């Protein structure tokens, strides 16, 4: 969907006036505010119900704009930006003096990303500054991948929603920390680990010493309906059990139905990981509305191409565990949230 110049100008004017604007990116929809206006940025936290202290991504037009937000651009970060911007990669860099602690959660780093979606790019060009934007969902919920999802999540809390149709990628960006001298993967996404390694040679995995990233709290990205993640054999057994018990379940799986289920309760998911990622959140939203008591999801292959999807599904399942739900057959996770790394 192409940007409508009048709507873009209206959106840029709202941002200048300190209002919130939701806009499409190639990953998911963002809830944007003028990154240079702390009062406007504070409205994001109120609209989302997001606890203060959870840092936001500043969206930029490209590499040149990082100068205003990062006090250093380590060589690895420059190479990654040159390779993947505009696109679904977020770089966590040493923050410039001017970046408000409201954005960084009081940390000494700032997350920066140049999105590729033509509407996001048009908005950034028209506005001329950085746009702070988390995913445009209520805190802890599934990220929106369609304009209607944003309205469903945020209602009137957002002044304007720019409609760019369904997001191409469908999952949130890959996030890497680039403090200088190393690159650490904080959140898997469409830019894969090996694509990063091809550019910078070595990529570390996040551990307890890594910069905190609330998206890594395990209960994120969750539907309201309890969700269990099962391999195909366990899925078939669980479906049979639920049928016998007469409980209303829905299934998301890649193959043909494993058991006799009404067609509406069986969502056949794509076999390709990029197609799967594109529709995942929309499918979860539909199933969340379907009035079932549990969503059973077939686990995905343990390979790099599926890493970001596996990550989001594991978090959605963990949220069910957190609610103390009967997730028998789901590979027993603890009932507690994995705490943020300090
Ligand atoms: O694809 C995306 O990244 C979408 C679109 C709108 O750009 N945005 C998004 O934002 O997913 P959000 O706020 O839902 O997730 C951003 C993640 C959070 O987990 C946050 O903790 C992390 O980025 N983050 C932001 N600033 C950080 C920092 N300085 N250090 C470590 N993590 C940071
Ligand atoms: Mg989010």
């Amino acid at each position: 969907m192409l940007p409508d110049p009048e709507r873009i100008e209206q959106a840029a004017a709202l941002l200048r006036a300190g209002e919130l604007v939701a806009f499409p990116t190639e990953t998911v929809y963002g809830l944007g505010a003028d990154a240079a206006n702390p009062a406007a940025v504070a409205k994001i936290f109120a609209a989302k119900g997001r606890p203060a202290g959870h840092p936001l991504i500043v969206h930029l037009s490209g590499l040149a704009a990082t100068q205003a937000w990062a006090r250093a651009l380590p060589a690895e970060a420059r190479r990654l930006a040159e390779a993947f911007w505009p696109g679904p990669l977020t770089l966590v860099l040493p923050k410039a003096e001017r970046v408000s602690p409201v954005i960084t959660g009081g940390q000494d780093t700032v997350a920066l990303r140049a999105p590729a979606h033509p509407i996001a790019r048009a908005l950034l060009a028209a506005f001329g500054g950085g746009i702070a934007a988390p995913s445009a969902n209520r805190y802890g919920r599934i990220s929106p991948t369609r304009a209607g999802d944003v309205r469903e999540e945020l209602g009137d809390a957002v002044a304007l929603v720019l409609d760019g149709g369904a997001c191409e990628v469908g999952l949130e960006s890959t996030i890497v920390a680039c403090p200088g001298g190393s690159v650490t993967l904080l959140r898997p996404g469409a830019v894969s680990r090996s694509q990063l390694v091809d550019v910078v040679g070595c990529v570390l995995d996040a551990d307890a010493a890594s910069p905190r990233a609330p998206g890594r709290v395990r209960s994120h990205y969750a539907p309201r309906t309890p969700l269990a993640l099962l391999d195909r054999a366990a899925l078939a057994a669980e479906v049979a059990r639920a049928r016998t018990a007469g409980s209303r379940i829905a299934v998301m799986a890649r193959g043909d139905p494993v058991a006799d289920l009404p067609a509406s309760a069986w969502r056949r998911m794509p076999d390709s990981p990029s197609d799967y990622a594109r529709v995942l959140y929309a499918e979860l939203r539909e199933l969340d509305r379907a009035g079932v008591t549990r969503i059973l999801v077939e686990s995905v292959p343990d390979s790099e191409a599926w890493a970001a999807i596996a990550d989001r599904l594991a978090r959605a399942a963990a949220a069910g565990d957190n609610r103390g739900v009967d997730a028998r057959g789901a590979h027993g996770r603890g009932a507690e949230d994995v705490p943020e790394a300090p």
Side-chain angles (χ1 to χ4, degrees):
M1 219 177 274
L2 287 177
D4 164 0
E6 243 172 70
R7 291 284 278 177
I8 294 291
E9 212 25 78
Q10 186 193 357
L14 284 166
L15 290 174
R16 276 179 220 114
E19 299 298 331
L20 302 183
V21 171
F23 61 97
T25 81
E26 70 279 24
T27 59
V28 300
Y29 276 74
L31 177 62
D34 177 358
N37 178 347
V41 174
K43 290 184 184 174
I44 292 176
F45 290 84
K48 276 183 68 94
R50 176 158 163 148
H54 287 222
L56 304 176
I57 298 172
V58 177
H59 294 71
L60 304 172
S61 52
L63 194 52
T66 58
Q67 265 196 24
W69 301 91
R71 68 173 179 276
L73 185 66
E76 308 81 41
R78 172 179 292 280
R79 300 221 302 278
L80 288 172
E82 281 168 354
F84 299 113
W85 280 5
L89 178 70
T90 296
L91 303 173
V92 174
L93 301 173
K95 81 171 196 78
E97 186 80 45
R98 68 183 281 237
V99 185
S100 159
V102 182
I103 289 177
T104 64
Q107 301 181 82
D108 192 38
T109 53
V110 64
L112 304 177
R113 172 163 110 84
H117 195 292
I119 292 181
R121 294 182 61 71
L123 179 62
L124 283 160
F127 177 60
I131 302 177
S135 50
N137 50 281
R138 303 273 310 162
Y139 180 66
R141 295 261 305 135
I142 305 167
S143 296
T145 54
R146 301 165 300 190
D149 301 339
V150 178
R151 280 292 176 208
E152 180 185 300
E153 288 284 326
L154 301 172
D156 295 337
V158 50
L160 177 68
V161 181
L162 292 171
D163 190 345
C167 299
E168 186 65 26
V169 173
L171 293 183
E172 305 78 2
S173 61
T174 303
I175 305 182
V176 294
C178 300
S182 67
V183 174
T184 300
L185 181 60
L186 299 181
R187 180 173 73 182
V191 175
S192 71
R193 194 171 197 292
S194 57
Q195 283 180 292
L196 299 169
V197 169
D198 283 347
V199 173
V200 293
C202 172
V203 174
L204 306 173
D205 286 311
D207 59 28
S210 306
R212 69 204 160 109
R216 293 165 54 218
V217 172
R218 218 169 53 185
S219 70
H220 261 61
Y221 315 106
R224 292 196 175 88
T225 312
L227 180 151
L229 198 52
L230 306 161
D231 65 27
R232 207 165 164 79
L235 185 67
E238 196 58 23
V239 169
R241 203 175 70 95
R243 297 285 281 166
T244 310
S247 48
R248 292 205 61 203
I249 52 158
V251 175
M252 269 177 60
R254 281 165 297 119
D256 294 324
V258 284
D260 170 37
L261 262 187
S264 61
W266 186 273
R267 312 300 279 225
R268 196 190 195 294
M269 295 297 284
D271 292 316
S272 110
S274 55
D275 291 344
Y276 190 114
R278 186 176 306 127
V279 299
L280 173 61
Y281 287 161
E283 290 288 358
L284 286 176
R285 274 177 194 277
E286 303 301 326
L287 292 182
D288 225 2
R289 271 195 287 266
V292 298
T293 55
R294 289 175 77 201
I295 300 171
L296 307 180
V297 181
E298 181 189 1
S299 52
V300 296
D302 182 17
S303 68
E304 185 182 83
W306 290 88
I309 294 164
D311 171 76
R312 304 312 190 271
L313 287 175
R315 288 169 210 284
D321 293 358
N322 292 344
R323 293 186 205 108
V325 158
D326 166 27
R328 232 171 300 169
H331 317 283
R333 289 197 183 79
E336 80 292 359
D337 219 2
V338 168
E340 288 171 37

